[in-house]
Structure formats: structure tokens, C-alpha cells
Amino acid sequence: MSGGFFSRGFRGRRRPVEQGTQLPPGQYLVEGFPVLSAGPTPRTPLEEEWDFSIIGEVDEPRRWTWKEFQALPSEEITRDIHCVTKWSKLGTRWEGVSVDTLLEGVETAAEFVMAFCDGGYTTNMPLEEVIGGKAWVAYAYEGEPLEPEHGGPVRLLVPHLYFWKSAKWVRGLRLLNHDEPGFWESLGYHNHGDPWREQRYWGD
Amino acid sequence: MGEFRLDGNAAAGPLREVFSFEVTTAQYSCVGCGRTDRLGAAMVYEVRQLGTIVRCPSCDNPLIRLAHNREGYLVDLRGTRYLTTG
């Protein structure tokens, strides 16, 4: 963990914490940013290899190089995040491209989406969970480029669901007509993952 | 020749023997790249309380994925073609 996250003086901007009122059930508050990785940290060369794509059940696949991706309209996002391992972090600040922007003009009848990543990680969601201003592809955290250990160059940000849905090192979205379980969803973790309904495991 | 079919309990003996094998010296065969090696020589990622992921050192394919939830353990072996116990 880089010490940089703690030295930029943003603590004062956090919303006051009234514990128990802002946290989903079973969660506790952390100040740091725990790192959870299920594999090695990929380091794909940005200029030569990296791209972001929308594929699957679409009229025509979309693809952006790193340069093109950075030129897309971006948004600043401040949201609470909740990990299924029970830590929550309030008022995290991100910058990135809305999934709405990426899907602009895309014609599809798909109802589901699978995020795919460098390193082979996947996570699935209904398409409606990532549209309408609910999900972003983020490349900056607290005003700095997103560090590789936290998913840089870009990670998906779906803050209203447990944070495993906010896939690190995301490289694209595959639109699907049917639902498929992703990496953790196929290993006993809840298919939907709403922290306010405490959907941690199968059967919750 | 008639079928001689029993329920799963009948396999309890041999399965108990197999699933109590010495893990570190067992040999795996990787679905991703075909590598065979000792499980003890694979790479392990402990993902806090989320799970344990055993990966092939050649191709990073997850050989064994293990998670713990309220009910108990869930083990996913789809990344392993077979295991040879010593």
C-alpha cells in the first residue's frame, strides 16, 4: 500500500460519520483502503496494448485506445464503498467515464453484462445496474491516477453493490442476453450483491 | 450384464481415502496450459476473508478456488484436469 493515500489531507472533507446510520448491516468503517487481490497485479502497457471494449450482444463492438479513452467526457464521483469482507469506506472520490457515456449509441437487446479484466477476473450484473448514472470506469482516486494495486489503470466503479463488482483492471464489458456467474459469483458469493440487503452469499 | 448401481454412500470409503491426501506433494494437471507439478509449488493468493485461490505458476490459471461462507467451504476444481495423490 502506498503511503500516498494518507498524506493528501482529504480527511477533513469526509462527511461526518454517524455510525450505524450510514453503514449497511454488518459493515464497519475503515480509514485506510484495504487491498484484496485474487491474483497477480497485471501491468499491461498502456500505449501499446491496453484498450477498453464493449462487445457481445451489440450492433457493433466499440473499442477505445488509452488515448481515446482519456479523451472521453469524465465525471467526478464521491461515493461510499462497501466490501463483502465487511469494511466500508465513506466519501471516496473518483474520476472516470460513466458507463452511460460508453454505451451511448450502442444498440442492444442485452439484459446482462459481464465485466472482463486483465488477469481473467470477471463479474456479472444486470445491465440496468450499470446504467442511469450508477456505474463508472474510473482512472483516478482522490485526485491521483489509480494505483495498480487498486485496479489501475482503470477499474469499474459500481458503488451501490458490494465492491467485488467494482472489478479491478477492467478491460471491457460483454453484453449478454442471459446471466452468467462471474469469478466470485460462481464461488458462493451472491449473484446480485446489494449491501443494504446484505446479499453476501448464495441464498442470502 | 445388469447394472450394479449404488447410492453415493457406497463411494464414501475410497473418497475418504482420496480426499485426505497429502496436499503439498499431490500432482496437479493444469486445465490452462497442461503443466503438471506439485501443488506445493503452485502460487496461492489469500484474499482476506473472501477466499483462497491456488494458481498455476506457468499461466496463472486458477487451479483451485476455495471460499468459506456461512454454510461451510465451497471448493471449485474446474481449473484442475486431475490430481494424482501420492
Side-chain angles (χ1 to χ4, degrees):
Chain A
M1 157 87 57
S2 155
F5 289 112
F6 301 103
S7 57
R8 296 188 193 109
F10 286 121
R11 281 189 180 155
R13 296 188 188 191
R14 288 211 180 94
R15 285 185 281 154
V17 178
E18 293 164 32
Q19 203 143 3
T21 58
Q22 296 184 61
L23 293 180
Q27 297 294 108
Y28 66 88
L29 198 60
V30 294
E31 285 294 313
F33 195 165
V35 173
L36 282 75
S37 294
T41 298
R43 290 173 196 274
T44 305
L46 283 177
E47 306 296 338
E48 300 85 0
E49 277 182 45
W50 190 92
D51 61 11
F52 191 92
S53 54
I54 306 283
I55 57 174
E57 299 294 333
V58 290
D59 53 341
E60 204 179 312
R62 308 292 200 275
R63 176 182 175 271
W64 296 268
T65 64
W66 177 242
K67 205 173 168 185
E68 291 165 342
F69 193 84
Q70 285 179 300
L72 290 169
S74 69
E75 296 175 12
E76 289 197 5
I77 311 112
T78 302
R79 290 288 190 285
D80 304 339
I81 55 177
H82 311 289
C83 180
V84 72
T85 63
K86 300 194 172 179
W87 60 263
S88 289
K89 193 167 168 57
L90 301 183
T92 59
R93 294 193 310 124
W94 305 81
E95 187 181 345
V97 179
S98 169
V99 173
D100 295 320
T101 302
L102 298 170
L103 292 178
E104 229 168 67
V106 170
E107 285 184 30
T108 182
E111 290 181 32
F112 300 96
V113 61
M114 181 76 86
F116 58 92
C117 306
D118 278 326
Y121 183 80
T122 55
T123 187
N124 60 301
M125 281 158 282
L127 184 59
E128 64 178 26
E129 297 290 345
V130 298
I131 58 177
K134 294 199 289 284
W136 297 266
V137 176
Y139 46 70
Y141 171 72
E142 299 291 356
E144 299 286 334
L146 187 58
E147 304 241 354
E149 65 180 356
H150 286 300
V154 304
R155 83 179 294 162
L156 195 61
L157 180 66
V158 194
H160 70 288
L161 299 177
Y162 280 126
F163 210 47
W164 88 75
K165 300 281 189 182
S166 294
K168 299 204 276 192
W169 313 303
V170 66
R171 287 287 300 272
L173 302 176
R174 183 188 305 276
L175 274 61
L176 299 167
N177 290 329
H178 60 280
D179 199 10
E180 278 177 29
F183 186 89
W184 292 117
E185 293 86 355
S186 63
L187 199 65
Y189 288 92
H190 199 276
N191 198 52
H192 187 232
D194 181 346
W196 296 96
R197 293 156 71 188
E198 213 172 353
Q199 294 173 332
R200 297 182 198 275
Y201 306 111
W202 292 353
D204 281 352
Chain B
M1 296 264 288
E3 275 187 4
F4 189 61
R5 199 172 63 184
L6 303 169
D7 71 22
N9 294 312
L15 286 179
R16 189 176 300 121
E17 219 169 287
V18 168
F19 282 106
S20 63
F21 62 91
E22 170 52 48
V23 172
T24 56
T25 54
Q27 300 265 328
Y28 66 84
S29 172
C30 174
V31 164
C33 68
R35 179 188 175 108
T36 58
D37 202 346
R38 287 181 306 110
L39 261 183
M43 300 185 300
V44 173
Y45 292 83
E46 291 278 0
V47 197
R48 294 204 170 214
Q49 299 109 16
L50 261 177
T52 300
I53 311 300
V54 183
R55 289 183 184 268
C56 171
S58 293
C59 72
D60 289 335
N61 167 53
L63 298 163
I64 301 175
R65 303 187 308 144
L66 181 70
H68 192 261
N69 62 29
R70 294 191 192 101
E71 309 296 321
Y73 284 105
L74 194 151
V75 186
D76 180 308
L77 288 167
R78 75 183 75 175
T80 301
R81 198 180 308 277
Y82 58 79
L83 289 169
T84 315
T85 65

Short mmCIF file of all heavy atoms in Angstrom, two decimals, chain A residues 24 31 36 54 59 70 77 84 86 93 97 113 125 131 148 187 195:
data_model
loop_
_atom_site.label_atom_id
_atom_site.label_comp_id
_atom_site.label_asym_id
_atom_site.label_seq_id
_atom_site.Cartn_x
_atom_site.Cartn_y
_atom_site.Cartn_z
N PRO A 24 -24.32 -0.01 5.77
CA PRO A 24 -25.21 -1.16 5.57
C PRO A 24 -25.03 -2.17 6.71
O PRO A 24 -24.01 -2.15 7.40
CB PRO A 24 -24.72 -1.75 4.25
CG PRO A 24 -23.96 -0.67 3.59
CD PRO A 24 -23.36 0.15 4.68
N GLU A 31 -10.57 3.56 7.73
CA GLU A 31 -9.98 4.80 7.21
C GLU A 31 -9.04 4.51 6.05
O GLU A 31 -8.95 5.26 5.09
CB GLU A 31 -9.22 5.53 8.33
CG GLU A 31 -10.15 6.22 9.33
CD GLU A 31 -10.93 7.37 8.70
OE1 GLU A 31 -10.33 8.19 7.99
OE2 GLU A 31 -12.15 7.42 8.91
N LEU A 36 -7.47 -6.14 -1.80
CA LEU A 36 -7.83 -7.55 -1.96
C LEU A 36 -7.57 -7.93 -3.41
O LEU A 36 -8.17 -7.36 -4.31
CB LEU A 36 -9.30 -7.79 -1.62
CG LEU A 36 -9.68 -7.86 -0.14
CD1 LEU A 36 -9.69 -6.50 0.51
CD2 LEU A 36 -11.02 -8.54 0.03
N ILE A 54 -16.48 -2.65 -25.67
CA ILE A 54 -17.87 -3.09 -25.44
C ILE A 54 -18.15 -4.15 -26.50
O ILE A 54 -18.11 -3.84 -27.70
CB ILE A 54 -18.87 -1.92 -25.61
CG1 ILE A 54 -18.50 -0.72 -24.73
CG2 ILE A 54 -20.30 -2.39 -25.37
CD1 ILE A 54 -18.82 -0.84 -23.28
N ASP A 59 -24.84 -4.05 -31.60
CA ASP A 59 -24.91 -3.89 -33.05
C ASP A 59 -23.51 -3.90 -33.66
O ASP A 59 -23.26 -4.48 -34.70
CB ASP A 59 -25.67 -2.62 -33.42
CG ASP A 59 -25.12 -1.37 -32.72
OD1 ASP A 59 -24.41 -1.51 -31.70
OD2 ASP A 59 -25.40 -0.26 -33.18
N GLN A 70 -9.04 8.38 -22.54
CA GLN A 70 -8.78 9.56 -21.71
C GLN A 70 -9.48 10.81 -22.25
O GLN A 70 -9.73 11.75 -21.50
CB GLN A 70 -7.28 9.81 -21.62
CG GLN A 70 -6.55 8.84 -20.71
CD GLN A 70 -5.08 9.13 -20.69
OE1 GLN A 70 -4.43 9.08 -21.73
NE2 GLN A 70 -4.57 9.46 -19.52
N ILE A 77 -16.83 11.66 -9.02
CA ILE A 77 -17.80 10.84 -8.29
C ILE A 77 -17.36 10.75 -6.83
O ILE A 77 -16.19 10.45 -6.57
CB ILE A 77 -17.86 9.40 -8.87
CG1 ILE A 77 -18.02 9.42 -10.39
CG2 ILE A 77 -18.96 8.58 -8.21
CD1 ILE A 77 -16.83 8.91 -11.16
N VAL A 84 -17.60 -6.90 0.73
CA VAL A 84 -18.32 -8.03 1.34
C VAL A 84 -17.56 -8.58 2.55
O VAL A 84 -18.15 -9.24 3.40
CB VAL A 84 -18.57 -9.14 0.28
CG1 VAL A 84 -17.28 -9.86 -0.08
CG2 VAL A 84 -19.64 -10.12 0.74
N LYS A 86 -16.75 -6.90 4.88
CA LYS A 86 -17.37 -6.11 5.94
C LYS A 86 -16.77 -4.74 6.21
O LYS A 86 -17.22 -4.03 7.08
CB LYS A 86 -17.47 -6.91 7.25
CG LYS A 86 -18.31 -8.18 7.07
CD LYS A 86 -18.71 -8.81 8.38
CE LYS A 86 -19.70 -9.95 8.12
NZ LYS A 86 -20.11 -10.61 9.33
N ARG A 93 -13.44 9.55 -3.37
CA ARG A 93 -13.55 10.43 -4.53
C ARG A 93 -12.86 9.80 -5.74
O ARG A 93 -11.71 9.40 -5.67
CB ARG A 93 -12.91 11.79 -4.24
CG ARG A 93 -13.66 12.59 -3.16
CD ARG A 93 -13.17 14.04 -3.16
NE ARG A 93 -11.72 14.09 -3.13
CZ ARG A 93 -10.98 14.74 -4.04
NH1 ARG A 93 -11.55 15.37 -5.04
NH2 ARG A 93 -9.67 14.76 -3.93
N VAL A 97 -15.14 7.66 -16.45
CA VAL A 97 -16.11 7.79 -17.53
C VAL A 97 -17.36 7.00 -17.14
O VAL A 97 -17.28 5.84 -16.74
CB VAL A 97 -15.52 7.23 -18.85
CG1 VAL A 97 -16.54 7.33 -19.98
CG2 VAL A 97 -14.23 7.96 -19.20
N VAL A 113 -24.67 -7.94 -18.18
CA VAL A 113 -23.33 -7.52 -18.57
C VAL A 113 -22.32 -8.29 -17.74
O VAL A 113 -22.53 -8.58 -16.56
CB VAL A 113 -23.18 -5.98 -18.39
CG1 VAL A 113 -23.36 -5.55 -16.95
CG2 VAL A 113 -21.84 -5.50 -18.91
N MET A 125 -23.52 -8.57 -13.83
CA MET A 125 -24.59 -7.71 -13.30
C MET A 125 -25.70 -7.59 -14.33
O MET A 125 -25.43 -7.69 -15.52
CB MET A 125 -24.06 -6.30 -13.02
CG MET A 125 -23.28 -6.17 -11.73
SD MET A 125 -22.18 -4.75 -11.75
CE MET A 125 -20.83 -5.39 -12.75
N ILE A 131 -26.34 1.29 -15.70
CA ILE A 131 -26.75 2.45 -16.48
C ILE A 131 -27.58 3.40 -15.62
O ILE A 131 -27.98 3.03 -14.51
CB ILE A 131 -27.52 2.05 -17.78
CG1 ILE A 131 -28.75 1.21 -17.42
CG2 ILE A 131 -26.61 1.28 -18.72
CD1 ILE A 131 -29.60 0.84 -18.63
N PRO A 148 -1.93 0.63 -9.50
CA PRO A 148 -2.18 -0.74 -9.98
C PRO A 148 -2.78 -1.65 -8.90
O PRO A 148 -3.69 -2.44 -9.18
CB PRO A 148 -0.79 -1.24 -10.38
CG PRO A 148 -0.05 0.01 -10.75
CD PRO A 148 -0.57 1.08 -9.83
N LEU A 187 -18.48 -18.80 -6.90
CA LEU A 187 -17.80 -19.44 -5.77
C LEU A 187 -18.54 -19.15 -4.45
O LEU A 187 -17.93 -18.97 -3.41
CB LEU A 187 -16.35 -18.94 -5.69
CG LEU A 187 -15.36 -19.80 -4.89
CD1 LEU A 187 -15.16 -21.16 -5.53
CD2 LEU A 187 -14.01 -19.10 -4.73
N PRO A 195 -25.43 -4.42 -0.74
CA PRO A 195 -25.02 -4.36 0.67
C PRO A 195 -26.14 -3.99 1.62
O PRO A 195 -26.13 -4.40 2.79
CB PRO A 195 -23.91 -3.30 0.69
CG PRO A 195 -23.97 -2.60 -0.61
CD PRO A 195 -24.73 -3.45 -1.58
#
